[in-house]
């Protein structure tokens, strides 16, 4: 495995792979890797000849009072995990390499960035779309891999790929969970033992609604009520919404289209997100 920090070296190295007509996969991450990331890496390994993992804690997607400075980092451990996972290139640029002096060009996402997390994290998806677009330009992958846990992020990036005619296939990998059902996240390390137990209420609520859906329930309000009934253990429920799987607009009753039940909640000072798909399969986006 090569660890590369400069764009010029990255492009030079990947040019050799493209010259040999090898398929390049990209797994964009902010590091502090866990089994969810490893599932993305495994998916890339299965579908591509060369897997690139990027590690970059992107400052433009954090708000003024969010956890940029304290976001968990352990580069040596990440490097070892990538090597063990068969990654060909670990791309770990610093902030100056990604955002040069006087940087002022951003990707502005549309309506998909406005609901759900967009209400509470203004500017977040602008930062996400910008850094992801930059990574796509730096790596020029054939395929990119994202996790379903970040459902809205997947929707925003997929739309960007289509709208900007990017020659990239996007693959969404199902959410990986801890044995107790908690969706894997780098931020789980913030939780105390007691908080972690209370955080399980999020998955319990979403799973209960999914069970009702599988049993035939199609009323939006009833499905949300089922989930909400399990969420009293969290300290603050930021949102619990059932949205259309494509537009992210509030789903209509009775459900006739693929939908996603999405939640964001604080347990202690830790913000957690999760979702379940109701008759919705997220696959690969068409190439732009």
């Amino acid at each position: 495995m090569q660890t590369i920090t400069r764009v010029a070296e990255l492009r030079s190295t990947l040019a050799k792979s493209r010259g040999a007509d090898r398929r390049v996969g990209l797994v964009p991450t902010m590091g502090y890797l866990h089994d969810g990331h490893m599932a993305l890496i495994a998916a890339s390994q299965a579908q591509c000849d060369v897997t690139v993992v990027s590690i970059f804690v992107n400052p433009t997607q954090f708000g003024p009072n969010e956890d940029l400075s304290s976001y968990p980092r352990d580069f040596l451990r990440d490097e070892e995990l990538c090597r063990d996972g068969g990654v060909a290139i670990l791309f770990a640029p610093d902030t100056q390499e990604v955002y040069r002096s006087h940087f002022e060009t951003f990707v502005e996402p549309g309506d998909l960035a406005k609901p759900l997390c967009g209400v509470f994290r203004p500017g977040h998806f602008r930062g996400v779309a910008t850094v992801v677009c930059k990574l796509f330009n730096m790596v020029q992958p054939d395929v990119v891999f994202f996790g379903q846990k970040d459902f809205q992020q997947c929707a925003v990036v997929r739309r960007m790929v289509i709208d900007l005619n990017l020659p990239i296939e996007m693959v969404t990998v199902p959410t990986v969970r801890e044995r107790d059902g908690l969706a894997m996240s780098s931020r789980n390390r913030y939780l105390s033992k007691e908080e972690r137990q209370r955080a399980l209420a999020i998955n319990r609520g979403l799973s209960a609604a999914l069970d009702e859906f599988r049993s035939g329930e199609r009323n939006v309000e009833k499905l949300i009520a089922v989930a909400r009934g399990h969420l009293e253990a969290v300290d603050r429920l930021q949102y619990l919404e059932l949205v259309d799987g494509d537009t992210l607009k509030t789903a209509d009753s009775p459900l006739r289209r693929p939908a996603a039940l999405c939640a964001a909640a604080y347990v202690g000072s830790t913000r957690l997100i999760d979702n379940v798909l109701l008759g919705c399969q997220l696959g690969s986006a068409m190439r732009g």
Side-chain angles (χ1 to χ4, degrees):
M1 186 183 78
Q2 292 179 262
T3 297
I4 296 175
T5 61
R6 296 286 182 250
V7 175
E9 182 184 356
L10 176 72
R11 287 175 172 164
S12 174
T13 301
L14 286 172
K16 300 170 187 175
S17 294
R18 291 194 184 86
D21 201 28
R22 303 180 75 194
R23 186 170 163 90
V24 176
L26 169 64
V27 178
T29 83
M30 293 206 301
Y32 210 76
L33 304 182
H34 51 65
D35 284 350
H37 297 112
M38 301 312 293
L40 302 179
I41 291 171
S44 178
Q45 289 287 88
Q47 299 182 40
C48 301
D49 303 302
V50 177
T51 294
V52 180
V53 172
S54 64
I55 293 180
F56 179 65
V57 181
N58 176 38
T60 65
Q61 70 188 66
F62 287 79
N65 299 310
E66 295 183 342
D67 58 341
L68 173 60
S69 62
S70 62
Y71 192 84
R73 295 165 170 85
D74 190 340
F75 184 75
L76 292 179
R77 175 179 171 274
D78 290 344
E79 199 171 30
E80 182 178 352
L81 286 171
C82 286
R83 186 178 292 108
D84 291 346
V87 171
I89 298 173
L90 175 57
F91 179 50
D94 61 19
T95 302
Q96 182 61 31
E97 185 72 6
V98 177
Y99 298 108
R100 299 295 178 90
S101 299
H102 310 298
F103 182 89
E104 59 180 29
T105 304
F106 288 84
V107 177
E108 193 68 54
D111 288 344
L112 290 173
K114 294 178 180 177
L116 304 173
C117 289
V119 175
F120 300 94
R121 303 187 70 187
H124 170 70
F125 289 113
R126 179 179 187 251
V128 169
T130 299
V131 78
V132 168
C133 189
K134 286 177 69 65
L135 288 168
F136 288 175
N137 285 328
M138 293 170 181
V139 178
Q140 298 178 13
D142 298 292
V143 195
V144 294
F145 298 85
F146 288 84
Q148 179 201 311
K149 183 181 76 70
D150 297 298
F151 179 80
Q152 188 174 12
Q153 173 177 275
C154 290
V156 168
V157 173
R158 186 179 297 107
R159 174 49 56 189
M160 180 183 72
V161 167
I162 294 170
D163 287 352
L164 300 186
N165 301 107
L166 302 179
I168 295 171
E169 179 185 354
M170 180 173 165
V171 174
T172 305
V173 176
T175 301
V176 176
R177 299 183 179 279
E178 307 279 1
R179 290 183 179 180
D180 55 15
L182 185 67
M184 287 196 170
S185 168
S186 299
R187 290 186 169 95
N188 288 350
R189 71 180 297 271
Y190 296 154
L191 299 168
S192 69
K193 186 175 180 180
E194 182 272 334
E195 288 170 344
R196 184 188 172 88
Q197 287 301 308
R198 292 194 288 116
L200 300 180
I202 300 172
N203 181 49
R204 281 199 297 268
L206 297 178
S207 296
L210 178 59
D211 288 343
E212 287 296 313
F213 175 82
R214 287 171 172 168
S215 296
E217 182 60 70
R218 293 296 183 269
N219 182 277
V220 170
E221 291 74 16
K222 289 182 179 178
L223 289 168
I224 292 174
V226 168
R228 191 180 299 276
H230 291 263
L231 289 168
E232 294 180 357
V234 305
D235 292 302
R236 177 158 59 98
L237 181 61
Q238 201 170 62
Y239 66 75
L240 175 65
E241 297 187 35
L242 186 50
V243 298
D244 183 275
D246 293 323
T247 67
L248 304 194
K249 294 180 179 178
T250 301
D252 295 322
S253 288
L255 279 179
R256 292 192 177 93
R257 287 177 45 79
L261 182 58
C262 303
Y266 278 90
V267 180
S269 60
T270 304
R271 184 179 185 271
L272 302 172
I273 61 172
D274 202 351
N275 63 80
V276 291
L277 307 182
L278 306 184
C280 181
Q281 295 298 318
L282 287 176
S284 300
M286 296 288 290
R287 283 175 174 265

